[in-house]
Amino acid sequence: MNSTASVPVDAIAAELRGLDPAYSPTPLLNLPALANRLGVAQVLAKDEGRRTLGSFKSLGGTYAGLRALARASRMQVADLLGARPKGQPTLICASDGNHGLAVAAAARFAGATTRVFLHEGVPNARARRIEHQGAEIVWVPGTYDDAVDAAAAAACQGAGILVADTTDDPNDPIVCDVMAGYGVAAAEIRNEVDFAGHGRPTHVFIQAGVGGLAAAIAEGLSGWLAPPGHIVTVEPESAASVAPALAAGRPIRVKGDLRTSAEMLSCGRASAPAVAVLRRHGARAITVSEAELVDAVRLLSAHDLATTPSAAAGLAGAMTALAIPSHTSNLGLDGRSRILVLLTERALEGLM
C-alpha cells in the first residue's frame, strides 16, 4: 500500500466522505464582533464541533484505524470496507474520549473490534459514547499518560493493533496517519478562506494536547499564511507538554496530576512526530490559566458559540497574547492582525 506521505489530502478527504456524507467540510466562521472586542482586524473560527462524532478527532483516528486494518489484511481500504472480513485484529488505543470514539468508528465501519483504554478522569458520558460505537472500555487508574502506557503494553502483548495519536518514534506510521487525517481540516481552511475572500490569517492560535493537530495545521498552512505567519500552540498551565518539548527538541514527561478544565488537553508527554513538525515550522508556545480558559468559553458563548474549555483554548491563547505586551511584541500582534482559531469539539450535554 502507498505510504501516508504519498496520499494527497484531497484523497483522504474523499475516502472519509465515502464512509459517511457527515464527513463533509465544517464551516469557517467569520466573527467581526469578536475581532472588534479583541482589537484585531479579523477573527476566523473553524468549527470542528460540527464534524461527525463532534470533533476533529474523527478525521485522524478513523482514517488511521482503517489504514491499520487494511495493512493487516493486505487490502486497500475500499476493499476492506466492502469485504468486512472475519478475524480482523482488534484496534487498541488510549483516549481522553474523542480519539477513542474515532478509532471505534473505524472498527465499526470495517467490521472489527476495538478496545479503548480510558483513565479514571474521563466522564462516564464520554465512555458511553465510545461503547455505543461497539468498543470495549478498559479503565486505567491515573492520568491520560497512564492509559497510553497501558494501551501500548496490551498491544505489545499481542492484544491487537495500537492506533495511538502519540509516540516517541518520529516515524511511527500510524501516528503519521492520524496527523495526515487532521490535515484535511487545514486543506478545508485554505479553501474556505480563499472562497470567501477573507484575508489570509497572520496568526494561528491552536490548542495542543500531544501536538498532533497543531502539527497538521502548521504543515497544511505552511507558506500560505500572511506575514508574520505565526503558529502558536496553546496549553493549560497545569498540563503543558508541547512547550517544554519544543524547547528541548524532544518529548519530555511532565509530572503532576495534569488536572485542567480543558480535559482533552490533559496530556503529560508530547508526540515526537508532532514536535518535529512544529519545530520545523518555527511554532511558538504559550500557556493559559484556568481563569483564561473560562473567560474564552464565556466570550464564545456571548457570540452564540457554546463550546468547552478544550475547544476554546486557542481563543484563550489569543486573548492572553493580546493582553501581555511581551507576547504582543514577540508575535507581531497589532490592530491589523488576522487571527485563526479552531473550535475543536462540540459542547455535549453534561460534559461542560
Side-chain angles (χ1 to χ4, degrees):
M1 298 181 66
N2 293 334
S3 67
T4 294
S6 67
V7 180
V9 68
D10 289 347
I12 296 174
E15 186 171 287
L16 290 169
R17 286 196 302 273
L19 300 173
D20 187 327
Y23 279 92
S24 58
T26 55
L28 184 71
L29 309 177
N30 183 25
L31 304 174
L34 182 54
N36 184 62
R37 172 78 175 267
L38 297 183
V40 296
Q42 176 178 271
V43 173
L44 298 176
K46 179 69 164 163
D47 191 357
E48 288 296 289
R50 301 195 202 183
R51 186 77 63 184
T52 187
L53 305 182
S55 86
F56 74 96
K57 291 282 188 177
S58 63
L59 298 172
T62 302
Y63 175 70
L66 288 174
R67 283 185 59 84
L69 289 171
R71 279 192 293 266
S73 300
R74 299 183 182 277
M75 302 172 74
Q76 298 293 326
V77 170
D79 296 331
L80 175 78
L81 293 171
R84 293 168 58 89
K86 296 186 181 299
Q88 295 182 72
T90 295
L91 295 182
I92 293 173
C93 72
S95 180
D96 272 317
N98 289 331
H99 179 67
L101 188 66
V103 174
R108 178 176 59 81
F109 283 125
T113 56
T114 326
R115 186 174 301 157
V116 179
F117 288 72
L118 300 178
H119 65 91
E120 57 192 0
V122 174
N124 287 329
R126 290 191 186 274
R128 288 195 297 271
R129 291 188 74 210
I130 296 170
E131 288 178 322
H132 186 69
Q133 293 289 328
E136 172 193 354
I137 302 297
V138 179
W139 289 99
V140 178
T143 67
Y144 167 76
D145 298 271
D146 294 314
V148 168
D149 292 342
C156 286
Q157 294 165 6
I161 300 174
L162 182 65
V163 184
D165 63 353
T166 183
T167 178
D168 285 340
D169 178 2
N171 298 308
D172 184 290
I174 290 179
V175 175
C176 289
D177 281 342
V178 171
M179 291 165 57
Y182 297 160
V184 170
E188 291 177 7
I189 289 167
R190 295 173 71 132
N191 291 338
E192 289 162 344
V193 166
D194 291 345
F195 179 79
H198 298 310
R200 294 185 180 184
T202 58
H203 298 77
V204 182
F205 288 87
I206 185 163
Q207 46 274 78
V210 296
L213 174 65
I217 296 300
E219 184 78 14
L221 301 186
S222 176
W224 177 81
L225 295 170
H230 287 311
I231 300 288
V232 186
T233 65
V234 183
E235 301 174 279
E237 291 174 347
S238 60
S241 62
V242 169
L246 289 175
R250 58 181 176 82
I252 295 174
R253 186 72 169 255
V254 176
K255 297 180 180 179
D257 62 16
L258 309 178
R259 292 189 183 278
T260 171
S261 61
E263 297 168 336
M264 299 297 100
L265 308 181
S266 179
C267 307
R269 190 178 183 87
S271 179
V275 171
V277 172
L278 288 168
R279 281 175 60 86
R280 187 169 73 247
H281 290 296
R284 313 292 185 90
I286 63 174
T287 60
V288 294
S289 68
E290 292 301 301
E292 288 162 338
L293 288 166
V294 170
D295 285 346
V297 171
R298 288 174 177 164
L299 185 54
L300 287 166
S301 178
H303 290 80
D304 298 321
L305 292 169
T307 190
T308 68
S310 301
L315 178 61
M319 293 164 61
T320 299
L322 287 163
I324 298 175
S326 60
H327 285 329
T328 302
S329 175
N330 290 336
L331 295 172
L333 285 164
D334 58 30
R336 297 166 296 178
S337 297
R338 296 188 295 273
I339 290 172
L340 169 69
V341 298
L342 278 78
L343 309 180
T344 47
E345 68 170 354
R346 181 167 63 236
L348 301 175
E349 184 177 353
L351 295 183
M352 287 294 290

